[in-house]
């Protein structure tokens, strides 16, 4: 079989400058790729640049980066709230809020500004790549690239092909992941893919254990840290991921697989309704305004 030409990626766009988008911009810039980072909120872009600089300082402290490499990487990151800035990108990675209507509206507004050859990736944790791709003008060049948090630390990228994704796009994302020093796991396009299909129902089960009074927050996290050798307890991990993101993933599993075993725990819903979303709002299953963080139940 003839070798398939891999489209070169010389310039990357990242849309959504939150926890994940800033991490993706970080690793791309450290790998020497010029990046344009976009968001609806100018203040999110400013915050992201600060977050990236701080994360690079932690890498410097651990000997993983030099001051000169940090300066060179930061110089490669541009920011914009205007989609026209993505016009010369070879790949745009969407890492905005986990809501299908938001992602759809981003692709609709973005694609008229892109080169015809530009590929699109979504960092969605759970939404169908086939469906998101079908809503764009380029389903063959649409793929899932699911980075893990924190992006600069975690080695895995799940690569998810939609039904229409072509081979050059698949090969190009594999090559990019390698350039970012990541290892890929290829997942079929089913709800929540591999990692979250297994991880988030475990977190939801931990919230049920809390809800039913099997154990309190401290006991549940201690049990899994010491009893199963997990580096973080499931409730601590839920706060780290974001409780709104965990809930969205459970809803996608519940609706997408039509199986009651994926029903979100009412207590998880209540925390999200309260705006207690975990670390990003300083309160979730723990209160992060206290040192050490204090369990909220
Ligand atoms: N948090 C995790 O552990 C994790 C891990 C892997 C993947 N993901 C996925 O990554 C994506 C982002 O998650 P996050 O945790 O970074 O969320 P976040 O809330 O930290 O950031 C989302 C960003 O998207 C921006 N945004 C919202 N609407 C927008 C629009 N119309 N145009 C441009 N930007 C817009 C917001 O202003 C915000 O800055 C989601 O799809 C999520 O499922 C999250």
């Amino acid at each position: 079989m003839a070798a398939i030409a891999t489209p070169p990626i010389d310039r990357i766009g990242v849309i959504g400058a939150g926890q994940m988008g800033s991490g993706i911009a970080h690793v791309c810039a450290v790998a020497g790729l010029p990046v344009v980072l976009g968001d609806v909120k100018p203040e999110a872009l400013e915050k992201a640049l600060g977050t990236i600089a701080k994360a690079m300082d932690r890498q410097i402290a651990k000997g993983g980066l030099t001051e000169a490499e940090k300066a060179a990487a930061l110089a490669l990151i541009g920011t914009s709230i205007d989609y026209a800035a993505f016009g010369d990108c070879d790949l745009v990675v969407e890492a905005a809020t986990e809501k299908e209507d938001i992602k759809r509206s981003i692709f609709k507004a973005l694609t008229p500004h892109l080169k015809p050859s530009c590929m699109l990736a979504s960092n969605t944790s759970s939404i169908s790549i086939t469906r998101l791709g079908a809503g764009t003008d380029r389903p063959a060049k649409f793929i899932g690239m699911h980075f893990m948090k924190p992006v600069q630390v975690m080695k895995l990228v799940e690569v998810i092909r939609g039904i229409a994704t072509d081979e050059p796009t698949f090969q190009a994302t594999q090559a990019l992941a390698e350039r970012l020093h990541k290892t890929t796991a290829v997942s079929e396009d089913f709800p929540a893919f591999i990692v979250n299909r297994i991880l988030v129902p475990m977190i939801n089960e931990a919230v049920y254990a809390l809800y039913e009074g099997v154990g309190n927050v401290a006991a549940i996290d201690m049990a899994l840290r010491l009893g199963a050798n997990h580096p973080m307890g499931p409730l601590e991990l839920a706060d780290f991921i974001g409780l709104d993101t965990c809930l969205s993933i459970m809803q996608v599993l519940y609706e997408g697989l039509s199986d009651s075993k994926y029903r979100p725990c009412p207590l998880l819903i209540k925390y999200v309704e309260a705006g207690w979303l975990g670390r990003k709002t300083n309160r979730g299953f723990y209160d992060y305004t206290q040192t050490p963080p204090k369990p909220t139940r």
Side-chain angles (χ1 to χ4, degrees), residues 83-163:
Y83 289 125
F86 295 85
D88 54 358
C89 289
D90 302 300
L91 169 74
V92 176
V93 183
E94 171 278 315
T97 309
E98 185 75 348
K99 291 240 160 45
E100 189 161 342
D101 54 338
I102 291 181
K103 294 186 186 292
R104 280 181 178 277
S105 67
I106 289 173
F107 292 126
K108 195 161 177 235
L110 169 73
T111 46
H113 297 279
L114 301 178
K115 303 192 280 196
S117 61
C118 180
M119 296 173 282
L120 288 174
S122 176
N123 185 51
T124 176
S125 301
S126 58
I127 301 168
S128 163
I129 295 300
T130 300
R131 201 166 61 234
L132 282 177
T136 72
D137 61 349
R138 58 194 78 201
K141 296 190 191 309
F142 195 98
I143 197 159
M145 270 193 105
H146 184 219
F147 290 84
M148 307 292 133
K149 187 185 158 204
V151 181
Q152 68 280 9
V153 175
M154 300 293 281
K155 287 270 161 262
L156 186 74
V157 177
E158 273 183 297
V159 175
I160 306 107
R161 298 174 81 142
I163 270 186

Side-chain angles (χ1 to χ4, degrees), residues 6 27 32 39 57 68 126 194 196 230 255 272:
T6 304
V27 295
D39 203 286
D57 286 340
S126 58
I194 298 172
N196 286 326
H230 288 192
E255 283 153 25
V272 173

